[in-house]
Amino acid sequence: MKEIYEAIERSAIRIRHAIENDDTGYSDNANKTGDIQLKLDIKSDLIIEEEFAKVNTVKELASEEKDNVEVLNPDGRYLIGYDPLDGSSLADVNLSVGSIFGIYEDDYSGNSLKSAVYVVYGPRVEMVIASEENGVEMFRLDSNNKFNFIQKLQLNERGKLNAPGGTQKNWEPHHKEMIDDIFKDGYRLRYSGGMVPDLHQILIKGGGLFSYPGTSDVPKGKLRMTFEVFPFAFVFEKAGGAATDGCHRVLDLTPAHIHDTTPCFFGSKNEVDRVKVCYERN
Ligand code: AHG
Ligand code: MN
Ligand code: MN
């Protein structure tokens, strides 16, 4: 696993350089989900592929930016599901973006995750690693290109932040009522449109709720299980929080295809319980 974390560190340093120096425009291609890829999405994907190709424990890659899985080493132990550059359309407005990695064994189901990692490219570059052995640990990149351990991350039972995703005009009435009730209880809006910084903020500030529900236009939500939802569900559980699709624990789900999406809610236990009560009634 150490070589995998080191490949992620090398990728992060190169992606950071590309974000700072490259064109933030679109390419002529769309990915499997139908999103037009930015040049930065494609470059970040290539960087990560190059770095994982140097690690012989990596069996195959499943990327948000590749239609199909790519086999690197048939004898390898781990499968990596990753989003090379999450929130990439925010790079041109200079908001934070991120990379997300799920390290799986056997298949891409939630319960096959062994570790999850994300990197935030913001005013500072931070990497968070979640594992069975060490819980959730945050590292920060220094001027010598070294990631230094900063702190462990642990959620409180209840937080103060609310990050409600999805197009509001398409929310289900019960979802709207739940979000309104949370605001009435004094929670503050914190939403950038990048799930990596939005979830990182909730983790660092001790708790709250991030939601990306199913809506009338996208009943299964927008966020993809393999690359985005499972890795963050793993991080939130290991930090003492929870993640649900409204009715099921997220990590009990299995995608039929690597690009499948699911409604998702991440947060401290109190807020996720609120979601479950609301969704079980509806
Ligand atoms: P990506 O840039 O990898 O396509 O994903 C962006 C995701 C996520 O970061 C964010 O929470 C969500 O899309 C926002 O989507 P909308 O602005 O379309 O609601
Ligand atoms: Mn994404
Ligand atoms: Mn992406």
Side-chain angles (χ1 to χ4, degrees), residues 97-247:
V97 294
S99 300
I100 312 169
F101 304 86
I103 300 148
Y104 300 81
E105 235 180 283
D106 304 322
D107 59 29
Y108 295 100
S109 63
N111 283 314
S112 297
L113 256 187
K114 295 294 169 254
S115 175
V117 182
Y118 68 85
V119 180
V120 195
Y121 310 99
R124 315 198 261 206
V125 176
E126 290 175 340
M127 175 176 67
V128 171
I129 301 182
S131 66
E132 296 291 348
E133 309 76 48
N134 298 318
V136 184
E137 298 182 313
M138 182 176 104
F139 301 81
R140 187 175 298 140
L141 187 65
D142 69 16
S143 53
N144 297 316
N145 273 345
K146 186 173 178 302
F147 280 90
N148 301 297
F149 174 75
I150 304 295
Q151 64 179 101
K152 287 220 174 204
L153 301 182
Q154 183 69 34
L155 287 158
N156 300 327
E157 280 291 305
R158 191 188 157 150
K160 297 184 182 135
L161 307 181
N162 192 16
T167 307
Q168 298 196 19
K169 107 177 153 54
N170 300 324
W171 284 355
E172 298 290 339
H174 63 275
H175 181 79
K176 178 172 171 31
E177 197 182 317
M178 179 189 77
I179 297 294
D180 288 348
D181 283 349
I182 291 173
F183 281 128
K184 279 184 203 144
D185 286 346
Y187 285 72
R188 280 170 301 167
L189 173 66
R190 291 290 183 273
Y191 189 77
S192 75
M195 76 181 297
V196 177
D198 288 336
L199 287 165
H200 189 57
Q201 180 164 204
I202 289 173
L203 283 158
I204 300 277
K205 304 285 189 192
L209 180 70
F210 173 97
S211 41
Y212 207 105
T215 52
S216 54
D217 53 336
V218 274
K220 295 203 157 171
K222 173 184 181 188
L223 298 176
R224 303 97 176 161
M225 288 184 242
T226 309
F227 325 117
E228 293 165 321
V229 180
F230 291 161
F232 269 111
F234 190 90
V235 173
F236 269 69
E237 285 196 2
K238 292 289 173 266
T244 180
D245 71 353
C247 304

